[in-house]
Amino acid sequence: MYKFFVENGQIKDEMVTIIGEDVNHIRNVLRLKIEKQVQICNKDTSKSYVARILELEPNEVRLEIIEECVETSESKILLDIFQGLPKQEKMEQIIKQATEIGVSAVIPVKMERCVVKLDDKAELKKVERWQKIAEVASKQSKRDKIPKVHSIISLKNVYEKLLEYDIVVIAYEEENETTIKQVLQELNHEMLKKVAVVIGSEGGLDFHEVDFLRKLPNAKIVTLGKRILRTETAPLVLASVIMYEFNEMQ
């Protein structure tokens, strides 16, 4: 069943109005017909519904809600990726696949070894594009929430934000002892609700940055194994391992 996201104002009296790009997608790409059932997700409440198409107009599609979906595809834990800003195509890949895995948010971070340099105007356009990519991936993977792609932030401004998490897992290629397996086995899963993952950009984290992050009381610096993973591979591997450990991938 196809899935579409709408805002709260587009739902009224058990009726849904779809507008914007999705109208063309429904009418001309998917070629859906009257009476066809689709899934509608409210961006503001994350509630999902089964709805039936009643009208197919050039600028809007009107549907009637049949029932609310009880089951959710969302994870029980909130998992956010703090990603060292990589090149464009790599960031897009990370956002797409992180969305499929179940990540709650992606926060692009300026780090010492970042190759990409953007001015304010370019940053805004990038974030808007990345958010759209997250929405498309959410539709494809039948998510009930669209992961939030935050504005680009510098590492020095990340510290206070990271204090909000129950644990901050930092992947560092120079770490040789502490593994992600050890860290996850030592945790009380019942008490863990918010997890942050920090990944360096191309070239990895600088040791000064690791020392800075190490001061966090909730920080765990880990190795991901004997092989060095690319910046676009590491967050997906780490997020998948964490989701598996919390029985989110059965």
Side-chain angles (χ1 to χ4, degrees), residues 81-143:
I81 295 175
F82 288 76
Q83 173 66 48
L85 191 62
K87 295 178 182 178
Q88 176 179 340
E89 67 277 4
K90 295 180 180 180
M91 191 64 179
E92 292 181 2
Q93 178 184 339
I94 291 167
I95 292 169
K96 287 177 186 176
Q97 296 180 329
T99 297
E100 295 174 19
I101 292 169
V103 165
S104 301
V106 178
I107 301 90
V109 184
K110 292 179 183 176
M111 296 181 178
E112 189 167 327
R113 295 178 180 174
C114 288
V115 177
V116 178
K117 307 294 181 185
L118 301 172
D119 57 32
D120 292 343
K121 186 174 182 180
E123 281 189 14
L124 180 61
K125 289 184 177 180
K126 288 290 185 187
V127 174
E128 288 176 350
R129 173 173 171 76
W130 291 336
Q131 188 62 64
K132 185 63 180 178
I133 287 171
E135 180 170 345
V136 172
S138 295
K139 292 177 184 177
Q140 180 271 323
S141 56
K142 303 294 176 66
R143 292 281 301 267

Side-chain angles (χ1 to χ4, degrees), residues 56-106:
L56 289 164
E57 300 297 333
N59 297 317
E60 66 178 32
V61 175
R62 291 180 56 78
L63 309 92
E64 177 187 25
I65 292 176
I66 299 173
E67 62 181 357
E68 182 175 344
C69 301
V70 178
E71 293 187 0
T72 179
S73 62
E74 293 304 306
S75 169
K76 296 181 181 67
I77 64 167
L78 184 150
L79 175 58
D80 294 347
I81 295 175
F82 288 76
Q83 173 66 48
L85 191 62
K87 295 178 182 178
Q88 176 179 340
E89 67 277 4
K90 295 180 180 180
M91 191 64 179
E92 292 181 2
Q93 178 184 339
I94 291 167
I95 292 169
K96 287 177 186 176
Q97 296 180 329
T99 297
E100 295 174 19
I101 292 169
V103 165
S104 301
V106 178

Side-chain angles (χ1 to χ4, degrees), residues 47-62:
K47 290 183 177 180
S48 291
Y49 308 91
V50 176
R52 178 174 59 243
I53 297 176
L54 297 181
E55 299 176 17
L56 289 164
E57 300 297 333
N59 297 317
E60 66 178 32
V61 175
R62 291 180 56 78

Side-chain angles (χ1 to χ4, degrees), residues 80-242:
D80 294 347
I81 295 175
F82 288 76
Q83 173 66 48
L85 191 62
K87 295 178 182 178
Q88 176 179 340
E89 67 277 4
K90 295 180 180 180
M91 191 64 179
E92 292 181 2
Q93 178 184 339
I94 291 167
I95 292 169
K96 287 177 186 176
Q97 296 180 329
T99 297
E100 295 174 19
I101 292 169
V103 165
S104 301
V106 178
I107 301 90
V109 184
K110 292 179 183 176
M111 296 181 178
E112 189 167 327
R113 295 178 180 174
C114 288
V115 177
V116 178
K117 307 294 181 185
L118 301 172
D119 57 32
D120 292 343
K121 186 174 182 180
E123 281 189 14
L124 180 61
K125 289 184 177 180
K126 288 290 185 187
V127 174
E128 288 176 350
R129 173 173 171 76
W130 291 336
Q131 188 62 64
K132 185 63 180 178
I133 287 171
E135 180 170 345
V136 172
S138 295
K139 292 177 184 177
Q140 180 271 323
S141 56
K142 303 294 176 66
R143 292 281 301 267
D144 292 324
K145 293 182 180 178
I146 302 171
K148 172 69 175 176
V149 181
H150 290 253
S151 299
I152 301 170
I153 188 172
S154 65
L155 185 65
K156 66 180 181 180
N157 293 326
V158 160
Y159 193 91
E160 292 296 324
K161 184 180 288 288
L162 289 174
L163 287 173
E164 301 171 3
Y165 294 84
D166 298 318
I167 185 173
V168 178
V169 181
I170 303 159
Y172 184 41
E173 62 269 24
E174 298 297 329
E175 173 60 40
N176 296 314
E177 297 182 3
T178 306
T179 67
I180 182 60
K181 182 177 182 179
Q182 291 170 340
V183 169
L184 293 176
Q185 288 180 339
E186 292 170 359
L187 295 174
N188 183 337
H189 292 190
E190 297 299 322
M191 301 296 293
L192 209 63
K193 302 299 181 184
K194 295 179 66 175
V195 178
V197 168
V198 179
I199 304 293
S201 59
E202 294 95 341
L205 287 163
D206 183 84
F207 74 94
H208 293 298
E209 294 173 324
V210 176
D211 287 343
F212 172 70
L213 294 170
R214 198 188 301 273
K215 297 174 184 176
L216 287 162
N218 52 354
K220 295 290 183 180
I221 299 173
V222 303
T223 173
L224 297 183
K226 298 177 182 179
R227 293 171 295 279
I228 301 299
L229 304 182
R230 294 176 182 269
T231 186
E232 67 270 31
T233 306
L236 307 176
V237 169
L238 193 46
S240 297
V241 169
I242 293 171

Side-chain angles (χ1 to χ4, degrees), residues 27-42:
R27 287 168 49 89
N28 302 318
V29 179
L30 299 177
R31 298 185 181 277
L32 302 184
K33 304 298 182 182
I34 302 295
E35 296 298 322
K36 177 68 177 180
Q37 292 185 8
V38 299
Q39 197 170 9
I40 299 295
C41 186
N42 188 328

